Amino acid sequence: MNITLHKSQLANRKSNITITGSKSESNRLLLLQALYPEFKLENVSNSDDSNLMTNALSSASEIIDIHHAGTAMRFLTAYFSIQEGRDTILTGSKRMKERPIKILVEALQELGADISYVENEGFPPIKISGKKLTKSKVSLNANVSSQYISALLLIASKLENGLELTLNGEITSVPYINMTLSLLDEIGVASSFINNVITVKPNTSAKQTKTLVVESDWSSASYYFSIVALSQVGTEITLSSYNANSLQGDSKLVEIYKHFGVSTIFNENSLTLKKEDSNIKPLTLDLKNAPDIAQTIAVTCFALGVACDLTGLHTLKIKETDRLVALKTEIEKLGGEVKITDKSLHLLASNLIKEGVSITTYNDHRMAMAFAPLGLRTSIKIQDAEVVSKSYPTFWEDLKSLGFQITE
């Protein structure tokens, strides 16, 4: 499905949007619930990724296909490694078969896991023969994707001797590691994170029955920060349900978007974004702890005609697409000028935004949603717009409710 966003204005100065649970929190808690069925979950993400995670965890099939869901691939690799006596082949889409898994596989093998490659060395699909893992010490380079680290931490309490994980070098994506440890703590699993060593204690005892409510997704909120930044002074959008003391790294949007004149007010479980008068200057940011919002920020800067230098983006090259190359290609179609390295993006200031440009989404939900706010400045086409269902299935309906003029 290709759509066109016609140049629009928001229908109301004040609007409300409800966003479902964080994909990051949901996928972690779904795996933990499979290990510890005693607790219940509310406000679980309605994203494709979380639905795929749910289906995979409840499936008795030998072949599990997780399509484009990278988080599920990593977390389930660890999960099936400890399912004693069960053989599983974990596979995915064509792009998933190009996304590396070797770092995680080698760490699990070091702990005693039985994993082999079905096609290409270092990449899915993989065959996992579940067994009891008795070893408890492993090390990883600290700058790898935090999902490799979290995958190990999520199963750690079910290892006979727990886990001592040493991270070598400078750690990236610390908030996502802390999120995993905080969720472990919520269900009663003891852990520590001192210097570069993370320790998780073994825990086989039954957990106290409780209900955990998943906080709404901050990555999904980022598109509304962008919309407010591009709107008239006084525009307000209220989002639910968000916490001021969020576990999600992308909550740094609150500080970042002050730069664009967006103020944030927390009221119980809601978050109100308001456009204030501002003098916007060039932006320099290190996003190593929140790389998923890089696309939104880059497009916001482009739309406002302001330069930006974004660093800490090395993990973007192994996402649904090479997001750095994709951003450069699509922004330059619109008339911008972008320079990239393997871990940074540099956008030059420009007041030109071409009309009617067709944005390629590369099977990447964040490409589709990051460029959507440009509908407030110009008419723009989004190819394969249904890709948003990976993380935010109701995105286009929610934009229409704000006043965006969208046709298929």
Side-chain angles (χ1 to χ4, degrees), residues 144-155:
V144 300
S145 167
S146 64
Q147 290 179 8
Y148 296 145
I149 297 165
S150 288
L152 296 171
L153 299 178
L154 289 167
I155 64 163

Side-chain angles (χ1 to χ4, degrees), residues 24-321:
S24 298
E25 283 191 33
S26 294
N27 287 347
R28 284 162 171 77
L29 286 168
L30 286 167
L31 190 147
L32 289 172
Q33 188 183 45
L35 296 176
Y36 297 104
E38 296 82 9
F39 69 86
K40 294 181 170 59
L41 297 176
E42 290 183 0
N43 198 36
V44 171
S45 170
N46 65 350
S47 64
D48 284 356
D49 278 20
S50 293
N51 290 334
L52 285 163
M53 189 81 177
T54 300
N55 294 339
L57 289 165
S58 61
S59 173
S61 174
E62 183 182 354
I63 298 176
I64 304 288
D65 186 346
I66 51 75
H67 304 284
H68 293 304
T71 308
M73 172 59 72
R74 288 152 178 176
F75 289 1
L76 292 171
T77 296
Y79 174 79
F80 286 119
S81 295
I82 62 168
Q83 300 307 302
E84 294 180 45
R86 177 173 178 179
D87 289 340
T88 307
I89 292 174
L90 204 50
T91 189
S93 64
K94 181 175 180 288
R95 172 60 182 165
M96 187 57 62
K97 293 180 181 183
E98 297 168 349
R99 297 178 70 177
I101 194 81
K102 188 173 186 178
I103 291 169
L104 176 58
V105 168
E106 287 182 343
L108 288 163
Q109 287 170 334
E110 206 171 314
L111 292 169
D114 184 352
I115 307 174
S116 57
Y117 298 105
V118 177
E119 293 176 11
N120 295 318
E121 179 85 12
F123 300 89
I126 52 178
K127 181 179 180 183
I128 307 166
S129 297
K131 58 185 287 197
K132 186 176 186 177
L133 304 186
T134 56
K135 295 177 183 175
S136 62
K137 293 187 179 182
V138 71
S139 62
L140 287 176
N141 285 335
N143 65 349
V144 300
S145 167
S146 64
Q147 290 179 8
Y148 296 145
I149 297 165
S150 288
L152 296 171
L153 299 178
L154 289 167
I155 64 163
S157 66
K158 287 294 188 181
L159 305 189
E160 187 174 60
N161 299 303
L163 181 68
E164 181 183 296
L165 174 59
T166 302
L167 301 174
N168 301 317
E170 185 186 359
I171 305 169
T172 56
S173 297
V174 173
Y176 286 103
I177 299 171
N178 285 333
M179 174 195 290
T180 303
L181 295 175
S182 294
L183 295 175
L184 288 173
D185 180 63
E186 281 210 53
I187 66 163
V189 172
S191 66
S192 65
F193 189 177
I194 300 170
N195 297 323
N196 277 41
V197 179
I198 305 172
T199 304
V200 179
K201 300 292 186 187
N203 192 323
T204 53
S205 62
K207 295 284 162 289
Q208 183 180 354
T209 301
K210 64 189 296 189
T211 299
L212 300 179
V213 180
V214 182
E215 185 190 17
S216 292
D217 190 66
W218 276 93
S219 304
S220 296
S222 73
Y223 313 113
Y224 298 100
F225 278 86
S226 184
I227 287 166
V228 172
L230 303 186
S231 296
Q232 295 177 329
V233 170
T235 299
E236 293 184 15
I237 298 179
T238 298
L239 307 173
S240 60
S241 306
Y242 290 93
N243 306 323
N245 57 344
S246 176
L247 299 176
Q248 298 173 56
D250 289 349
S251 61
K252 69 186 298 181
L253 285 160
V254 171
E255 290 301 317
I256 293 169
Y257 270 77
K258 285 179 182 175
H259 186 90
F260 303 118
V262 179
S263 66
T264 307
I265 302 143
F266 287 94
N267 182 18
E268 294 182 353
N269 287 330
S270 69
L271 169 72
T272 297
L273 313 179
K274 183 175 182 180
K275 180 61 185 287
E276 312 278 3
D277 213 354
S278 62
N279 178 23
I280 301 170
K281 297 175 182 175
L283 179 66
T284 300
L285 275 180
D286 182 348
L287 289 173
K288 68 183 179 189
N289 288 331
D292 279 347
I293 53 177
Q295 288 146 293
T296 312
I297 293 167
V299 175
T300 303
C301 288
F302 170 68
L304 292 169
V306 63
C308 69
D309 292 292
L310 307 180
T311 58
L313 304 181
H314 57 282
T315 60
L316 294 193
K317 298 191 76 63
I318 60 166
K319 297 286 186 176
E320 284 78 352
T321 185

Side-chain angles (χ1 to χ4, degrees), residues 369-388:
M369 292 186 283
F371 280 86
L374 288 178
L376 296 174
R377 294 297 167 99
T378 189
S379 62
I380 188 171
K381 297 176 182 176
I382 306 287
Q383 297 177 21
D384 302 317
E386 70 279 2
V387 74
V388 301

Side-chain angles (χ1 to χ4, degrees), residues 323-333 338-340:
R323 287 179 172 167
L324 291 171
V325 171
L327 273 172
K328 174 179 169 64
T329 302
E330 302 310 309
I331 289 174
E332 289 186 342
K333 277 189 197 173
V338 178
K339 297 177 181 177
I340 57 172

